[in-house]
Amino acid sequence: MLQQTQVKTVIPYWERWMRELPDIAALAAAPEQRVLKLWEGLGYYTRVRNLQKAAQQIVAEHAGQFPRDCDAVLALPGVGRYTAGAITSIAFNAPAPILDGNVIRVLTRLFDIRENPRDKPTNDLLWHLATQLVQAAFNFQPSTFNSQLLLSGPCSALNQSLMELGATLCTPQNAKCPQCPLRSHCAARREGRVDELPNLGPRAAATAREFHAFVVEQDGEFLVTQRPARGVNAGLWEFPNLEVTGATRPPPDSLKQLLQITARCEPLCEVKHTITRYHITQRVFRVRSAAAADGIPTDTRWLGLAELHALPFTSAHRRILRRLATGS
DNA sequence: TATACGTGGCG
DNA sequence: TCGCCAAGTAT
């Protein structure tokens, strides 16, 4: 859950998740729709499918016991170098390095590394520095006093401290350098370059795309279609929709029919969101004539409002559902 | 090796 | 309003 997602966002999801699926066996055995529902709104949906695969792999290959070996952890689906290091260092105090967005920021500033940390040589250097730091922590002999501050172990404490520093003081903007325990060691601060680092380079601009979506109601049920198994929001359910500008394929007749109807419909709302390459605007229309939906060729279902909430919708669609439920 | 993948919060 | 970024991974 924490991959590319802020702790604050994750907490309510994690609490609900742990109530519903309290252990590895429960996750491994759960229906995929239930697991997706618990993840609904968190984004990056392949993470949750990988997480369930990982649970099933642990049941099959590790007798249901979470592996302690770093290579076995790394072999789990959805677990990369960072997550394997985070788990084994934080949980087992293994001297495994971590490098996330926070640590990249802390280290590029601490050592005044001006190259783009996304470039391979610079990324290698940062992993090397993170390795040396956690090794030093592993060799550290705590005194009686500070051992009380290292209950989870020095490697665990070091890695969590690096991330926490980046999350609280060494922030992307308005870094709180006067409060930083490393201020006297920080090369970027000494050079007055804190605001210039990390140097991530420019981002590719997103292209605007516009869609019309149709909320088709019939006897208290709503028409939904399932997205393709690949690509954005793979396999999730949504209202039938059509790209209005820049469409690459001609719309099916039934959708064309819906599109013509939109001229007589009041827009329900407008939803905007951005993914890597596109700014997406969805104008959502309410269609009361169910006949308009006849013969829609894609995978479709009629579902009641309560059932709709049982499906893995994107948050944009959940906002619309709330409006439908409240009648506003 | 470079891209694509979601969403929400913040200045 | 808009751009940036977040406890990264898979392909």
Side-chain angles (χ1 to χ4, degrees):
Chain A
M1 285 182 178
L2 289 166
Q3 289 167 358
Q4 293 282 280
T5 308
Q6 293 192 333
V7 174
K8 187 179 171 185
T9 303
V10 162
I11 287 171
Y13 282 90
W14 184 81
E15 288 179 338
R16 187 165 56 245
W17 179 286
M18 292 307 288
R19 279 198 303 273
E20 300 260 340
L21 301 170
D23 54 38
I24 292 168
L27 173 56
E32 191 189 38
Q33 289 293 302
R34 185 171 170 222
V35 172
L36 280 165
K37 176 63 187 173
L38 286 167
W39 202 272
E40 181 187 273
L42 261 184
Y44 284 143
Y45 294 93
T46 57
R47 288 184 301 179
V48 67
R49 295 183 165 117
N50 279 332
L51 187 60
Q52 185 172 38
K53 277 186 211 157
Q56 290 162 349
Q57 186 169 317
I58 291 169
V59 168
E61 298 177 13
H62 302 286
Q65 290 295 109
F66 195 93
R68 289 178 150 263
D69 174 51
C70 196
D71 288 334
V73 175
L74 194 54
L76 297 171
V79 176
R81 192 174 176 184
Y82 160 77
T83 303
I87 291 170
T88 56
S89 69
I90 293 173
F92 311 133
N93 195 43
I98 56 167
L99 191 68
D100 70 339
N102 289 310
V103 179
I104 287 171
R105 192 164 52 251
V106 169
L107 295 184
T108 53
R109 287 173 175 172
L110 192 55
F111 298 107
D112 191 18
I113 295 169
R114 304 183 184 186
E115 296 74 24
N116 188 334
R118 288 175 181 155
D119 291 343
K120 173 86 168 123
T122 310
N123 193 255
D124 287 347
L125 169 64
L126 289 166
W127 273 107
H128 176 70
L129 291 171
T131 304
Q132 293 209 311
L133 289 171
V134 78
Q135 270 298 336
F138 189 69
N139 297 329
F140 177 64
Q141 301 296 324
S143 67
T144 308
F145 169 73
N146 58 31
S147 69
Q148 296 300 309
L149 304 174
L150 298 172
L151 289 178
S152 56
C155 299
S156 173
L158 175 92
N159 281 343
Q160 293 188 70
S161 299
L162 286 174
M163 290 191 287
E164 196 67 10
L165 190 60
T168 57
L169 299 180
C170 197
T171 48
Q173 278 87 35
N174 306 322
K176 300 163 186 67
C177 298
Q179 301 175 50
C180 180
L182 299 181
R183 62 187 178 281
S184 64
H185 304 278
C186 182
R189 175 171 160 82
R190 199 156 52 238
E191 302 293 326
R193 299 184 51 85
V194 170
D195 293 331
E196 324 291 323
L197 299 174
N199 165 28
L200 293 171
R203 274 204 180 187
T207 308
R209 294 177 73 180
E210 191 176 341
F211 294 80
H212 285 182
F214 311 100
V215 178
V216 185
E217 186 174 1
Q218 174 180 273
D219 302 328
E221 294 194 312
F222 297 85
L223 190 68
V224 292
T225 79
Q226 192 168 26
R227 294 182 59 85
R230 300 265 175 176
V232 178
N233 290 328
L236 303 193
W237 295 81
E238 63 184 5
F239 295 119
N241 64 86
L242 189 61
E243 185 157 11
V244 181
T245 55
T248 54
R249 275 179 296 185
D253 286 347
S254 52
L255 282 181
K256 220 184 293 179
Q257 216 180 325
L258 279 178
L259 190 58
Q260 286 158 8
I261 290 172
T262 58
R264 286 179 275 127
C265 294
E266 287 179 21
L268 188 61
C269 63
E270 200 166 86
V271 179
K272 292 187 177 185
H273 60 114
T274 303
I275 57 175
T276 311
R277 303 177 59 146
Y278 302 110
H279 291 303
I280 293 176
T281 304
Q282 255 194 354
R283 190 159 301 139
V284 182
F285 295 92
R286 188 163 193 166
V287 182
R288 289 205 166 72
S289 165
D294 282 350
I296 284 186
T298 47
D299 188 353
T300 60
R301 288 168 70 176
W302 289 96
L303 291 171
L305 269 183
E307 289 173 287
L308 287 174
H309 286 281
L311 292 170
F313 268 87
T314 65
S315 68
H317 291 103
R318 287 185 297 119
R319 279 196 288 274
I320 297 166
L321 290 180
R322 274 200 296 275
R323 294 194 55 167
L324 291 173
T326 59
S328 60

